[in-house]
Amino acid sequence: MMNQKHGNIGLTRRHCVGLGIASVAAAPAWAAQLAPEPPARVALGGFDAVSYFLGGQNSPETGLAAFEYSWSGRTWRFAHPANREAFRAEPAIYAPRLGGFDPLGVIEGRFVNTDPLIFLLVPGPDGSRLYLFRSTANRAAFAADADLPGQAEARWPDLRRSPDADPAE
């Protein structure tokens, strides 16, 4: 077909609309191949989970992107490859309890975000467990009452299954 303005282009408007519809219909197949996966969230603000358990430290070490491991919908970073391997072998030992939420919030039935630098290692029959807190006042209250760890742990399974729960927890 001859277009007087642009010469012989061989396509009518109907052909163009048909090609447009065909390319939109095909888009999901190729777009899915091009779209990157969303990055996993970095756990503990990038601090090394294993370093909390190493004696003589007042604060955890910063993890490095070179030593990452994906677990439970999160990216965990480690300061050393040996720490990454220890975590990989038994992540539930090193990961913070209660999904990393403040235990006092869990007891109240709420998800309360925490500061990874405000923590407490609580000894237990099977080793110490890491708890994170929103504030130093919450940490002090938790440490002062020996019944609170049990209360938080008992409340956690129901709260974890609630509709507001983070699917990665």
Side-chain angles (χ1 to χ4, degrees), residues 3 46 63 83 97 107 121 129 132 136 138-140 143 147 150 156:
N3 182 320
N83 289 8
R97 302 298 298 160
I107 290 168
L121 290 174
R129 295 296 186 209
L132 303 176
T136 56
N138 283 12
R139 177 177 62 193
D147 292 334
W156 177 242

Side-chain angles (χ1 to χ4, degrees), residues 24-130:
V24 168
W30 60 265
Q33 294 172 351
L34 297 177
E37 267 187 54
R41 294 179 297 180
V42 176
L44 293 172
F47 289 105
D48 180 335
V50 174
S51 71
Y52 285 89
F53 293 85
L54 301 177
Q57 292 188 2
N58 293 327
S59 63
E61 290 184 80
T62 301
L64 304 172
F67 308 121
E68 288 185 345
Y69 178 66
S70 292
W71 179 73
S72 189
R74 300 267 199 275
T75 298
W76 300 77
R77 291 187 175 162
F78 302 92
H80 312 283
N83 289 8
R84 179 184 59 197
E85 294 313 310
F87 185 88
R88 187 182 309 209
E90 298 193 67
I93 288 176
Y94 299 106
R97 302 298 298 160
L98 312 173
F101 293 105
D102 190 305
L104 298 182
V106 170
I107 290 168
E108 294 171 359
R110 298 180 303 123
F111 295 105
V112 176
N113 290 325
T114 56
D115 180 338
L117 293 175
I118 305 173
F119 65 95
L120 183 66
L121 290 174
V122 176
D126 55 348
S128 292
R129 295 296 186 209
L130 173 64

